[in-house]
Amino acid sequence: MTDPHWLVRRALKVLQSDETPLYLFTLAAEEVDLVADVARIGRDEAGKLIGYQRPEKQKHVKQIQEYLDSESPVFPNGLILALPPEVKFKSSRGPGTSDGLAIAGTLEIPIALDDDGPRPAWIVDGQQRSLALARTKNRRLPVPVAGFVTQNLEVQREQFLRVNTVQPLPTGLVTELLPEISRVPSARMATRQLPSALVDMLNHDVDSPFRGLIRRASTATGEKKAAVVTDTSLVEAIRESIESPSGVLFPYRNIATGSTDTEGIRRVLIAYWGAVRQTFPEAWGKPATKSRLTGGVGIRAMGRLMDRVMTHVRDDDPDAQQQAAAELALVAEKCRWTGGVWEDLGLPWDDLQNTPRHISALSNYLVRTYLAERTGRR
């Protein structure tokens, strides 16, 4: 007799990888909630990233549920699950059980003992569908499932990023997950891996002027009001400086060996942005509606100014922040972060938008003003 706490389903074992077994099988709609749960992205008490899934989209879930509740739904959109190592696969007997690509058999999956108990599997793709399936009146609707066996969170996150390429994930969610995996799904994503890790450092380092100010996908609801800096803008500002040969952070990477002086980069970022906070205290830490400095356009433009300013400052100098502040003083009087009109640009402070055109215009204005003032000071 089958153990009542195990779900047994006919399945195919797909012969792709010995390290990560892959199974194709079917669950009834009501069984999905017994087997799998959603790994919501967040932070634990120590600040370590947990999970990887975006928040529930209630409108989307409701639309799926309404279709599932109709008379004859056709639901080919399967789920992808990360199954626990405890699953058991038994191949069927006979000469026709394998065609060299897959093996037919039965899969035994542990299920939750009660409503509040932990689920053995995690949903890697299809969280909105799974929520709708849990609520549909069609309780026995068959649902196609692909399940791979792993408890390795990095593997789950990697697969999560790979399967969500047709309908792009929110950029902030992707960038926050990238430092947590070693095999990045694409070259484009790889360029954001180090900058994202540095942004995470800036958000938690006790010496960072950005501490607690950066909004990430994992930011708790109660902390979002104070998190006024969008992580994607800061990631992009750092990425530009690291990737461009003219960027001040470019020399900290050894392309030949693949190594990076992250401590040196940390010193540059903390010194420079600490000087920004010191120079513009009235504009720091405010939402973009009250200050364009901490909005996307300000972060990106000041990031480009960093490449000019910090070439004149030694990152290992104990007085680096004060030196950077002295350099920023050259442009401080021309800045209109919280009121007034930007000279030459002819734009009121709150007309600046986080668009490529305005980012370029503001960046060029700040760099041009800085170089002119610095040349005139000699």
Side-chain angles (χ1 to χ4, degrees), residues 81 110 143 160 187 237 255 305:
L81 306 183
V143 181
F160 174 68
I255 298 177
L305 182 61

Side-chain angles (χ1 to χ4, degrees), residues 105-121:
T106 58
L107 186 67
E108 297 183 24
I109 309 167
I111 61 176
L113 300 179
D114 54 63
D115 291 342
D116 297 325
R119 274 46 177 172

Side-chain angles (χ1 to χ4, degrees), residues 240-315:
E240 281 188 353
S241 186
I242 290 175
E243 297 291 326
S244 172
S246 61
V248 72
L249 301 181
F250 183 81
Y252 291 86
R253 294 182 65 193
N254 188 324
I255 298 177
T257 63
S259 61
T260 302
D261 179 8
T262 52
E263 179 56 30
I265 292 178
R266 172 189 173 275
R267 291 194 297 267
V268 171
L269 292 173
I270 288 179
Y272 175 73
W273 289 103
V276 173
R277 178 180 62 180
Q278 177 181 332
T279 305
F280 306 105
E282 76 291 344
W284 190 258
K286 293 182 178 180
T289 53
K290 296 183 178 180
S291 170
R292 287 301 195 256
L293 174 60
T294 45
V297 64
I299 294 294
R300 293 290 303 280
M302 292 300 288
R304 292 176 181 176
L305 182 61
M306 176 183 72
D307 291 333
R308 301 289 184 163
V309 168
M310 295 308 287
T311 58
H312 305 290
V313 180
R314 288 180 56 91
D315 67 77

